[in-house]
Amino acid sequence: MQFGVLGPVEVRAGGEPVEVGGPRVRALLAMLLLDAGNVVGTERLIDGLYGEDPPDNAANALQSQVSRLRRGLGDASLVEGRAAGYRLAVDREDVDVHRFERLAREGRAREALELWRGPALAGVAAPFAAGQVARLEERRAGVAEDCAEAEIAAGEHGAAAARMRRLVAEHPLRERARGLLMRALYGSGRQAEALEVYEEARALLAEELGADPSGELADVHVAILRGDPALRPAPRRALPAQLTSFVGREEELDRVGRTLAEGRLVTLLGPGGVGKTRLALEAAEREDGEVCFVDLSPLGDGAEVPKAVLSALDLRESGMRPGAEAVDPVERIVTALGARRMLLVLDNCEHVIEAAARLAHRLLAARSGLRVLATSREPLGITGESLLPLPPLPLPAEGGADAAAYPAVRLFADRAAAVRPGFAVDETNAADVLRICAALDGLPLAIELAAARLRALPVQEVARRLGDRFRLLSRGDRAAAPRHRTLRAVVEWSWDLLDEPERALARRLTVFAGGATLEGVEAVCGVDEADELLVGLVDKSLLQTDGTRYRMLDTVRAFCAERLEEAGEGDRLRAAHTAYFLGLARRADPHLRGGGQLEWLARLAAEHANLHAALRRAVRDDPATALRLVAVLTWYWWLRGRVEGGPLTLELLDRVGVDPPPGMDEEYILCVSNAISAGASGPAAAAALDLATERMAGLQWQVTYPATLVQWALTAGPDRTDIETHELQSGRDPWSSALLRMSDGFLRQFRGDLSGAAEACRVALEGFRALGDRWGMANSLDPMAQLAAWQGDRPRAMELLNEALGLVLELGALEEQADLLCRRAELFIQEGDLDAAYADFEESLGAAHRTGAPDKVAAARCGLGDVARLRGDLETARRLYAQAGDQFTTSRFIASATRVAALVGQGWIAVAEGDVARARPLLRRALEISFEHPVFMNRIRAVVGLAGAAVADGDGELAALLLGATASLNGAPVDGDPDAGRVAAGARALLGDAAYEAALERGAAMSVDELITR
């Protein structure tokens, strides 16, 4: 599909227009297209669509527009629902505005302007449109001016004049456009017309604004009057020729140009090998004026800096005649520069930083026509300096689409093709190339060194050997500076510039994974004035920071980790790291059950890699500490669906087995619960579950970790939970009280006490609302929605589910998100909207995969199977039900519900294929399993399936009896279920109305035991 906003909003598939919907839907599409590939926040979408007068239930209104857009596009997966909003999952290159921006950045202004089909967002009247139209039209005008500037430089004065005539007509007060028009007319030999343009501008500015033309426009006027040769492009100085293509820094190149236009001193900062020199050279190539490039890397000390600049300017040092007084080389440079307009590039300043800073300051103060572009691993630190940190090349997220288009991958492919002709990134090697680029932090020099190894090794071998990256990447360009020949030399150059306290902190920081806060650094590293040392390491490009966290590139970290072991500090620092993060998790745990949970979840999420590094280490070396970490992290894992916790708890349970350390019963119970949630099964898991059951029953006091109550209930189920003991184990605090009421609501719901369940959940909801606990609120709203649906109030059920979903999306609680999406999808099925149901089941499947819970994956696949079956696609349904069945390796009791759903689905397929003899055993098995645990909605599905088999056999009376018997399972008929509706119609047709109603009444009087024997 191709998308357009540079004109009327349009969608084309195969060149043909696609009608996506009405004005509001097109406005929503436009907002998502403007930020294609990124999540657009819910509040921003509502504000953009409705402005200051949103509808009463804006979130539902937005959801309705999203559903319409999904239907209009014909592919629900293109509009992804995320925790904070929605994302249009399309390639930005398929959207004209993003192609326009890329072409403009690449200097292809003509091609960029050809994408416009008329006024931007034509016909879109939503509140957001006015600001966006103004922004886009301003950008269009700026690109048109850039195009005219390039045309004038190329001698295409006629084309530039025509282009600027049109722009001036649209924007009469735009002085840059008028100046370009004057230059183009002058270059075409039409001096009089050029002067008339100036007079028109002067009169218009005086009348409209009461102002005179700007100095720039007046300068063009004067230059035309004088026939000034300055109107012609200034000659360029030669720059070092580049032997390879420029890849992946287009946006940074534009930023350098803009910053140089606004200031006089710009310093490109970054670690060694990040591409500072190459970017500086490309930026210098774009300059219209004189350029002088000075490579400082060969210099031994700062005294040589002025001499290197003199040499680059083709000047000799003065004062060499016998008896003559020596002239200060700096003053010689000042004199030589005179009034020249020049860009001076000082490359590789870090090892002579003070001398380079002094020289730059002196020259800039003395010569107003001079600008300086420096590259360094730390700032020059002088007034007026604009810093442009240069990050590593971006990489696609794991599983990201079109990985070959990303700069790091493009660079690898370009350099690899140079040593192995014909090499290209494709599906056979993309994963290995991504692994290489990610392991090397997106550092261009490291990527180039790795690509060069393809001369002798296949790409798979290069990827496999990166564990010893310094040995692998030990051969480079013999013509390069020594510090750029190997990866080790690149990092060692930075290390040698550190003083001893900075080296101590740098090596100790390697115990952190995923970065560190100042608090963590001070607690773990044991250095004085850690804050000052961190600033120094950031300035020297050994660390990166966002102002809160400090992070090392993996390549730098690997080098510094070697230094940590050489210093003999590894064991002590790792122990301090584990102790600190165990303490942090303990501090966080109580805050995760109240109004501060988002703040503390974010804090733990930021430390996720550190927490798991500590746990991974403890699993290997200290199982008792590992059990404590699992216990305090359990509720965090549950709220965020962090899949990484599963494999670690499985490994820990394998180490501990059925012999936990003394006094750690509760920690052991939580370890078992987490492991089973992650899919632990088999005899060892069963033995661990039995021991955990015994230890749980032995806890006759309030539990230390409130998560124990929730985890055990979900893992073990009612058969292994004693309600009286459970109440003893519960705390008397408001959160535990609300949890007990919520638990009571579920139990009443399972027993068929619908009014009692509703009241218990209402009280629980009030308790959790008072605390501000989003998880508790969502899990109270969920059963309330189910009760509303069973009572036929689907609008109320949808309202409750949407509120619950909003809460779990705020939390990022993936398991709850997967459950609630399935629940909402079932409502959509009852309403006959299979497209919306499919979209929700798909989204649920994605959340389930991310959380790593096999039963949630199976539930989503069953739901997708139901949609496929109801659409008549039996083969797809059969495959999905079978895949769901393959997921049943977990011992969690709640997995039984999905096992029932899969069996019922397979039974319906058999009925549809006319094989009732195969259908009945499947459906009876589903009914048997449904009575093992209290999930009565699945009992109803099994009974309705058996009724369907009876209709297929022509036995209308049995079908009606079975349908009537569903009332004994939850006290309410199955309202809106398409299977039940179809079976009821079939039975009525077989019996007639009176006989059908009579049989239905008799079935309602049947007991559960009688039902099972039918």
Side-chain angles (χ1 to χ4, degrees), residues 556-572:
V556 175
R557 188 167 178 261
F559 179 90
C560 293
E562 292 178 357
R563 310 289 80 74
L564 181 72
E565 298 309 316
E566 289 173 359
E569 298 174 338
D571 291 342
R572 176 172 63 83

Side-chain angles (χ1 to χ4, degrees), residues 589 593 631 635 665-667 669-670 692 695-713 722 724-733 735-736 739-740:
D589 184 58
R593 290 180 291 278
W635 199 239
D665 287 350
E666 195 174 340
E667 289 84 354
I669 290 163
L670 284 168
R695 299 293 173 92
M696 189 70 189
L699 297 179
Q700 298 294 313
W701 53 83
Q702 180 180 333
V703 295
T704 303
Y705 309 97
T708 305
L709 301 175
V710 178
Q711 286 294 306
W712 186 250
D722 181 83
E724 292 183 6
T725 304
H726 180 81
E727 292 183 358
L728 278 176
Q729 294 164 344
S730 298
R732 300 298 175 261
D733 59 283
W735 189 87
S736 298
L739 182 67
L740 276 175

Side-chain angles (χ1 to χ4, degrees), residues 971-988:
V974 183
D975 180 42
D977 178 69
D979 290 324
R982 189 176 63 256
V983 172
R988 190 182 291 273

